[in-house]
């Protein structure tokens, strides 16, 4: 590019001006004005082009910060229904880019995403507390710098985060008059680049839809469980409760509490109810379509396979309700999420229903 493109043409000469040119005719002046206007327009176009190029470069740089080349693109959608309950006791968090909460990332990590659903019981205070605080505690404990063995560090980070969240809530609950007796399940999906870490307590669940080639050459959906249910009817859970001096009656701790692990529930902690999450890890592949993260309100009326098939059927429909600001693919996932939660209520679930649908794309 010519280094002098931005310089306007001189309008005066430095030497003597011939007499014939000292008084230019009116038409020459008009031509000069037109030339000046044209020059101003040209410079404006150049500035606009430069601004546009700079904006595009900034966007490209932002994408590079968030995603390494080849990392799947994650988009999250949520639908919540109160059902027949008087109060909505579920809470949820969607953070496709968690970098704003983190002071620094390990040198070999370019993206961290976080999605969580919390199903409260005995009130909404425990679920709301976990939704407001757990990811901030996680961010403070997250590995930093050029950390080695990131898997091991993240596992320890998640265990410590759940422990502190529970302790912090119990401390706040016990200081109230009267003391709060709320509790909550917790299912959290943490995506570090293309690795999915799931930590869960209680009976909220996370499942992954993966497309695999069948013997006939067609692709079929496979449902992968990303979480483990915790209720007192499971042998290991019941044994722990009984060793702690608790009992299991009618499938409940002391005949009351349906889950054997939770945040809160201070009155049951001495009976073997714990806040240690089950941890699972799964690497994403190009064949993965989406993750469903939901409270037990959904899974009371849907099996995991049925929920996955329901979403796939909606995604394959010819038309989806148009919403401003959403691309066609996003509209389909939004519709699938809303319809899945609505269908759970239609099938007779009287409980709160919260569904998070995380699409996995390229």
């Amino acid at each position: 590019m010519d280094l002098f493109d931005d310089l306007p043409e001189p309008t005066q000469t430095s030497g003597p001006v011939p007499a014939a040119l000292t008084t230019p005719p009116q038409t020459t002046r008009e031509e000069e004005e037109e030339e000046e206007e044209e020059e101003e327009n040209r410079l404006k176009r150049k500035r606009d082009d430069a601004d546009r190029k700079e904006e595009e470069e900034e966007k490209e740089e932002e994408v590079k910060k968030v995603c390494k080349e080849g990392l799947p693109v994650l988009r999250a959608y949520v639908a919540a229904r109160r059902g027949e309950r008087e109060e909505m006791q579920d809470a949820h968090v969607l953070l496709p880019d968690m970098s704003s909460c983190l002071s620094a990332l390990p040198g070999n990590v370019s993206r961290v995403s976080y999605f969580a659903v919390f199903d409260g019981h005995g009130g909404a205070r425990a679920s709301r507390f976990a939704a407001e605080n757990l990811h901030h505690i996680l961010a403070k404990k997250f590995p930093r710098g050029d950390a080695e063995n990131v898997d091991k560090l993240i596992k320890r980070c998640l265990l410590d985060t759940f422990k502190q969240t529970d302790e912090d809530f119990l401390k706040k609950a016990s200081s109230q008059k009267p003391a709060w007796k709320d509790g909550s399940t917790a299912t959290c999906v943490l995506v570090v680049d293309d690795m999915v870490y799931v930590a869960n307590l209680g009976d909220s669940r996370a499942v992954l839809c993966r497309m695999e080639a069948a013997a006939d050459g067609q692709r079929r959906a496979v449902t992968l469980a990303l979480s483990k249910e915790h209720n007192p009817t499971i042998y290991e859970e019941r044994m722990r409760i009984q060793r702690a001096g608790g009992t299991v009656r009618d499938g409940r701790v002391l005949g009351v509490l349906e889950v054997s692990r939770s945040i809160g529930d201070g009155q049951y902690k001495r009976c073997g109810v714990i806040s240690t999450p089950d941890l699972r890890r799964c690497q994403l592949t190009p064949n993965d379509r989406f993750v469903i993260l939901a409270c037990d309100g959904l899974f009371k009326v849907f099996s995991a396979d049925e929920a996955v098939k329901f979403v796939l059927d909606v995604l394959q429909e010819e038309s989806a309700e148009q919403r401003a600001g959403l691309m066609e693919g996003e509209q389909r996932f939004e519709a699938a999420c809303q319809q899945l939660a609505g269908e759970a209520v239609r099938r007779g679930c009287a409980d709160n229903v919260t569904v998070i649908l995380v699409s996995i794309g390229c």
Side-chain angles (χ1 to χ4, degrees):
M1 185 180 70
D2 190 342
L3 294 178
F4 300 99
D5 274 353
D6 290 340
L7 294 178
E9 294 295 328
T11 56
Q12 294 184 350
T13 59
S14 56
V17 180
L21 299 180
T22 55
T23 311
Q26 183 64 31
T27 55
T28 303
R29 179 59 183 167
E30 289 175 354
E31 290 174 356
E32 287 179 355
E33 290 177 350
E34 289 177 0
E35 289 177 359
E36 289 176 358
E37 184 176 355
E38 183 178 347
E39 181 66 20
E40 289 178 1
N41 290 336
R42 187 178 69 84
L43 292 175
K44 184 177 183 300
R45 287 194 297 272
K46 289 195 67 175
R47 286 193 297 269
D48 291 343
D49 290 342
D51 291 343
R52 193 177 303 110
K53 183 178 180 181
E54 183 179 355
E55 184 177 346
E56 289 174 355
E57 289 175 350
E58 288 178 355
K59 286 182 179 179
E60 289 177 4
E61 187 63 29
E62 189 64 28
V63 169
K64 289 178 183 177
K65 288 179 182 177
V66 174
C67 284
K68 289 179 181 175
E69 184 178 357
L71 282 185
V73 177
L74 306 177
R75 294 186 175 89
Y77 311 86
V78 64
R81 304 287 188 273
R82 186 165 57 86
E84 296 178 11
R85 294 291 182 89
E86 294 182 1
E87 181 184 17
M88 183 56 164
Q89 298 182 351
D90 291 352
H92 64 270
V93 181
L94 306 180
L95 288 174
D97 180 10
M98 194 180 168
S99 60
S100 60
C101 301
L102 298 168
S103 58
L105 288 174
N108 56 343
V109 172
S110 67
R111 179 190 66 191
V112 178
S113 303
Y114 171 87
F115 312 100
V117 62
F118 305 95
D119 183 357
H121 47 263
R125 289 168 291 209
S127 57
R128 290 172 184 167
F129 183 92
E132 292 168 2
N133 295 279
L134 193 146
H135 62 283
H136 290 296
I137 297 171
L138 176 65
K140 292 178 182 178
K141 296 179 180 293
F142 200 81
R144 294 179 176 81
D146 296 324
E148 296 182 1
N149 200 349
V150 172
D151 276 343
K152 184 177 180 180
L153 292 174
I154 290 176
K155 179 179 179 180
R156 173 48 54 191
C157 168
L158 287 167
L159 290 171
D160 291 346
T161 294
F162 272 65
K163 183 174 184 291
Q164 184 175 332
T165 302
D166 184 48
E167 290 174 350
D168 289 352
F169 177 73
L170 290 176
K171 182 178 179 180
K172 183 173 183 178
S174 63
S175 68
Q176 308 300 311
K177 301 296 182 184
W180 294 345
K181 296 184 178 181
D182 307 47
S184 178
T185 71
T187 301
C188 304
V189 173
L190 182 70
V191 186
V192 181
D193 286 343
D194 62 349
M195 190 65 73
V196 178
Y197 300 88
V198 180
N200 82 285
L201 300 169
D203 53 12
S204 295
R205 298 164 66 183
V207 297
L208 170 69
C209 172
R210 175 170 290 173
M211 308 303 293
E212 293 186 353
D216 58 2
Q218 300 294 318
R219 284 161 58 84
R220 64 186 181 89
V222 176
T223 303
L224 302 178
L226 298 181
S227 59
K228 181 179 178 181
E229 190 172 353
H230 302 125
N231 69 64
T233 64
I234 298 170
Y235 177 78
E236 295 84 353
E237 301 293 297
R238 186 172 71 252
M239 288 299 100
R240 187 189 66 249
I241 290 166
Q242 290 177 350
R243 284 194 299 268
T247 59
V248 176
R249 298 195 308 272
D250 300 324
R252 298 170 180 244
V253 181
L254 303 185
V256 180
L257 186 64
E258 288 187 81
V259 294
S260 54
R261 303 191 191 195
S262 66
I263 290 172
D265 291 318
Q267 66 273 34
Y268 297 102
K269 284 297 194 285
R270 64 182 181 274
C271 301
V273 174
I274 60 175
S275 61
T276 305
D278 184 74
L279 301 178
R280 296 194 176 186
R281 187 186 69 169
C282 174
Q283 186 160 16
L284 294 176
T285 74
N287 296 323
D288 296 332
R289 291 293 309 277
F290 55 81
V291 171
I292 299 175
L293 180 60
C295 65
D296 71 322
L298 176 71
F299 295 109
K300 284 176 179 177
V301 292
F302 274 94
S303 70
D305 287 332
E306 287 174 339
V308 166
K309 185 180 184 302
F310 185 94
V311 171
L312 287 172
D313 288 344
V314 177
L315 294 179
Q316 291 168 3
E317 289 178 359
E318 290 297 323
S319 61
E321 183 180 351
Q322 299 292 309
R323 283 191 58 184
L326 294 180
M327 303 291 287
E328 182 180 354
E330 295 174 316
Q331 291 166 356
R332 292 179 187 275
F333 274 101
E334 172 70 22
C337 185
Q338 296 297 330
Q339 290 181 34
L340 181 59
E343 178 65 13
V345 175
R346 193 192 70 79
R347 291 188 180 188
C349 177
D351 199 355
N352 299 153
V353 178
T354 297
V355 176
I356 295 174
L357 184 61
V358 182
S359 67
I360 304 168
C362 49

